[in-house]
Amino acid sequence: MARVLSLFRHQPFLVHVGRRKPASCKMSMDSRARMVFAAAVEAVQPDTVVRQSIERKQDSVIINGHTFTLKHNLHLVGFGKAVLGMAAEAERILGDHLVKGVVSVPHGIQQTLQQNGKDHLLLKENSRIRVMEGAKHNLPDTDAQKAAEVIKQLAIELTEEDLLLVLISGGGSALLPAPIPPISLQEKQDVTRKLAGAGATIQELNTVRRALSLLKGGRLAHYAHPAQVVSLILSDVIGDPLDLIASGPTVPSEVWPEEVLSILERYKLLNSLPASVKEVLERPSPSRSHKTDESSRSGRVLNAIIGSNSVALKSAGRRALELGFRPLVLAPGVCGDVRVVSKLYGLLARFACSREEPPPEIAAELLKLGPEVGVESWDLCRTMQVLGEGRTEGWGSTCLLAGGEPTVELTGKGRGGRNQELALRVGLELRGMQLPPTGPVFLSGGTDGQDGPTDAAGAITDGGLYEEAQAQALDVNNFLTNNDSYTFFSRLSAGQRLLVPGLTCTNVMDVHMLLIPPIPINIG
C-alpha cells in the first residue's frame, strides 16, 4: 500500500490543504461540527444560490456566462421543494421584466415558512407569480397535476422573443405530474410503483416515467420552443445528472418505446399494463419530432446547476478552516448500504488517528470498500495520503467531509432515517477509540433538515457512544434491528447528540463529517 500511496506525493491537491498550523479553538468538537454543518446548509439556501447565479446589468441578465436581453419578455415556472424561495429571489432581481409565472410547490409550504420566520423566502403580495401547492406527502396528486397543466399552457403560449426561466429543485418530479392521455395519474403511479418494487434502477424508472409524461425528458422545453429556455437547478441527485433531476423536463432525451417495453418485460410487467399505457407506447415518440431536434440544435435551452452537494461541502470546508480544522473532501457521492458506509468511516478514523504507521490491512480494506459506496480508489488514495502526511508532519486537527445519500435496509418499524442510523453505526465502529477532544467525532446530517419521518436531520457520535448507551440500559443492536435510531438518540443523554436544525428550505442530499484531532506520534 505504501507504494500505491507514494504515487500521490507532492501533488497539487496538497496546496489546497495548506501547511500553516491553525489557531487553537476552545469550542467543543461537537459545537464546531454543528457550525460546519450549518455553513453547508447556508451555502445552498434557495435565495442564496439564485442570487449568486444571476448577474443583472440594466436590461440584460448574465447566467452561466451567457447574456440574455430583458425587454418585458420574462416568464417564470418552477417545481420543487425549494422553488418558492428561488422564485422569490428571482423576482426581486428580475421582477421589472417579469410578465407572469407559476410555481408548483409542496402542500402547506407557505404556511410552514411563515410559521418558521422564513418570510424572505415567500413571494410578495403583489407578485406576478402564481403559487400552486400540491404533492401532499411527496406523492403526485391532482393538485400537482393541475399545476403541471398550467405550466404547460404557459410554455405553449411563448414566442421567439420570450425568455422562460425554469426553476428546479428536489421533489420536482412529484410536483410536475403530467401523464400522456389517456393514461391517468393513478395508472402512471401504479406502473412506476410496481417497477420500483420489482427492483428497477433509478435510470430504468426514469426511462419509463419519461415515456409516459408530457413534460419530462425535455418536453417542457419542447413546448416552450422557440422561446429561450434557461433552467436554474438545485441538485439533489448524486453526480448532478441533468436528465435525472426532476426527470429532466428541460433536458432533451430520446424515448424509444422498444427500450421501455424491454424494461417492463424484464420485470415481468408487460401483461399487467393498463390498456392506456400500451396505447401510448405504441405511438411514435413525440420527442423525435423536428421541433425538439430544432430547439436542442439551436442552443435555445441552457441548463445550469446552481446548487449541489459539492457547493455545500466547499462552504463547509471554508467554515472548518475558520474553526481550526484543515478541510479535506473525500467525495460528494457516497452511497450504498449504511452498514458498509459506516465501516468505511470507522476505518478512516482509525487510519487517521493511529499514533504509528497504520497497518497496511486498513488501507487495503478501505480500497476494497470504496467501490461499494461510490468512492473512487483515487479519492481514497488521495485522502489517505493527505491524512498520513497530516499525522506525520503534525498538521493539527482535520475535518474530513463527504456527501451523498446512503441507503438503509428496512427490517423493523421504528423511527429514524439514514443519517441517524449511519451515525449510530459509526459510533459502534469508533468503539474503543479515545473520546473528544483527543478522539474523533462523526456527524451525519440531511441538508433538508429532516431524516426520515423525524424532526432531526441526523446525529453526532464518537467512540463513547456504546458505553454511554450501556450505562443507560439502551440495547444498541435492538434499536438497529428495528430501524429505531431516532428513539435511540432521543433517549441517549436526553437527545443531546441529535442534530435538529429546523426547517432548512433546501436539499442537496447529506453531509458526512469526521473531525480528527491532532494525533501525538510515537517516534521510535
Side-chain angles (χ1 to χ4, degrees):
M1 185 61 214
R3 289 183 61 193
V4 174
L5 291 179
S6 70
L7 296 174
F8 299 93
R9 291 192 182 278
H10 310 300
Q11 295 298 316
F13 63 79
L14 293 175
V15 174
H16 301 291
V17 179
R19 296 186 177 275
R20 178 176 52 85
K21 287 190 177 182
S24 60
C25 185
K26 294 181 179 179
M27 282 185 289
S28 70
M29 299 267 277
D30 181 293
S31 297
R32 286 187 281 174
R34 293 174 189 271
M35 294 176 74
V36 172
F37 178 77
V41 172
E42 183 62 33
V44 287
Q45 286 296 295
D47 56 333
T48 300
V49 293
V50 168
R51 187 164 55 250
Q52 293 176 344
S53 63
I54 295 178
E55 183 183 354
R56 176 72 185 269
K57 287 193 174 181
Q58 297 179 340
D59 287 340
S60 67
V61 60
I62 302 172
I63 298 175
N64 209 30
H66 299 261
T67 302
F68 303 98
T69 301
L70 298 171
K71 44 187 177 183
H72 305 288
N73 59 340
L74 178 66
H75 298 72
L76 182 150
V77 299
F79 29 90
K81 294 180 180 179
V83 153
L84 192 57
M86 295 171 74
E89 188 62 26
E91 188 168 26
R92 285 188 194 101
I93 300 170
L94 307 171
D96 54 325
H97 285 276
L98 180 63
V99 179
K100 65 177 178 179
V102 58
V103 291
S104 178
V105 296
H107 177 81
I109 185 65
Q110 295 175 97
Q111 182 180 354
T112 301
L113 288 172
Q114 286 175 335
Q115 292 172 344
N116 284 270
K118 304 280 187 177
D119 291 351
H120 64 289
L121 298 178
L122 292 167
L123 296 169
K124 295 179 180 178
E125 287 186 13
N126 60 349
S127 173
R128 293 178 182 174
I129 301 172
R130 178 182 177 186
V131 179
M132 301 184 72
E133 296 188 356
K136 204 170 185 179
H137 307 303
N138 202 30
L139 294 172
D141 56 20
T142 53
D143 288 334
Q145 187 170 0
K146 288 175 185 175
E149 290 169 359
V150 174
I151 288 172
K152 175 192 167 189
Q153 190 57 41
L154 184 152
I156 288 174
E157 294 172 359
L158 299 177
T159 70
E160 188 174 4
E161 298 299 315
D162 291 318
L163 171 62
L164 178 64
L165 185 63
V166 183
L167 307 175
I168 303 173
S169 75
S173 187
L175 285 158
L176 196 73
I180 299 174
I183 302 173
S184 70
L185 183 59
Q186 188 60 51
E187 286 172 333
K188 183 182 175 185
Q189 282 184 260
D190 287 343
V191 171
T192 52
R193 190 180 296 115
K194 286 178 181 177
L195 263 178
T201 65
I202 183 64
Q203 289 81 5
E204 290 171 329
L205 281 168
N206 273 287
T207 297
V208 174
R209 192 181 284 130
R210 284 195 296 260
L212 307 181
S213 173
L214 281 171
L215 296 176
K216 295 179 171 72
R219 289 176 180 163
L220 175 60
H222 160 84
Y223 284 116
H225 187 75
Q228 172 69 55
V229 176
V230 178
S231 291
L232 303 182
I233 304 167
L234 186 60
S235 171
D236 68 334
V237 182
I238 288 175
D240 307 329
L242 292 171
D243 61 324
L244 293 189
I245 304 167
S247 299
T250 57
V251 184
S253 61
E254 292 284 357
V255 178
W256 301 91
E258 299 85 358
E259 182 183 3
V260 177
L261 291 169
S262 174
I263 292 171
L264 294 168
E265 184 177 16
R266 187 177 308 141
Y267 294 100
K268 299 179 174 57
L269 295 176
L270 269 182
N271 294 333
S272 61
L273 285 181
S276 59
V277 174
K278 291 180 180 178
E279 178 187 331
V280 168
L281 292 178
E282 288 170 358
R283 298 176 188 168
S285 172
S287 69
R288 300 183 197 180
S289 71
H290 173 71
K291 189 177 180 183
T292 300
D293 291 342
E294 183 183 342
S295 68
S296 60
R297 281 200 305 266
S298 62
R300 301 290 286 175
V301 180
L302 171 66
N303 291 294
I305 299 285
I306 62 171
S308 65
N309 193 269
S310 294
V311 171
L313 294 184
K314 187 175 181 180
S315 177
R318 287 194 295 266
R319 189 71 179 107
L321 189 62
E322 294 170 358
L323 292 170
F325 294 95
R326 295 181 182 274
L328 173 60
V329 175
L330 171 66
V334 177
C335 57
D337 194 299
V338 290
R339 291 173 293 191
V340 184
V341 176
S342 66
K343 288 180 182 178
L344 183 92
Y345 287 127
L347 287 168
L348 281 169
R350 293 186 184 278
F351 181 94
C353 295
S354 176
R355 294 179 175 233
E356 300 172 344
E357 185 70 22
E361 292 80 11
I362 293 183
E365 185 66 18
L366 280 167
L367 290 173
K368 180 181 176 183
L369 291 178
E372 293 186 53
V373 296
V375 182
E376 298 287 345
S377 296
W378 163 266
D379 286 323
L380 278 169
C381 287
R382 169 183 56 81
T383 298
M384 287 188 282
Q385 179 65 31
V386 175
L387 289 174
E389 292 192 357
R391 181 179 61 251
T392 57
E393 297 179 16
W395 280 357
S397 303
T398 299
C399 176
L400 181 66
L401 293 160
E405 204 165 84
T407 54
V408 173
E409 181 183 351
L410 295 177
T411 56
K413 297 182 179 179
R415 296 183 68 200
R418 60 181 178 267
N419 287 286
Q420 292 165 87
E421 181 153 331
L422 177 59
L424 178 48
R425 290 186 180 277
V426 170
L428 294 182
E429 295 291 335
L430 299 180
R431 183 182 175 187
M433 299 188 70
Q434 291 192 28
L435 303 184
T438 57
V441 166
F442 179 80
L443 175 150
S444 183
T447 55
D448 61 353
Q450 294 178 308
D451 188 38
T454 76
D455 61 355
I460 303 176
T461 190
D462 56 48
L465 178 135
Y466 182 79
E467 284 72 19
E468 192 176 323
Q470 278 205 319
Q472 295 181 233
L474 298 174
D475 189 323
V476 176
N477 290 325
N478 280 348
F479 283 102
L480 283 173
T481 301
N482 197 34
N483 298 119
D484 205 14
S485 53
Y486 178 74
T487 304
F488 171 82
F489 278 113
S490 297
R491 294 181 183 175
L492 187 73
S493 302
Q496 291 181 16
R497 291 180 179 266
L498 282 172
L499 180 65
V500 188
L503 183 70
T504 66
C505 308
T506 190
N507 182 19
V508 293
M509 301 182 293
D510 306 332
V511 170
H512 304 157
M513 188 187 318
L514 184 62
L515 299 185
I516 301 160
I519 307 300
I521 306 301
N522 292 333
I523 301 175

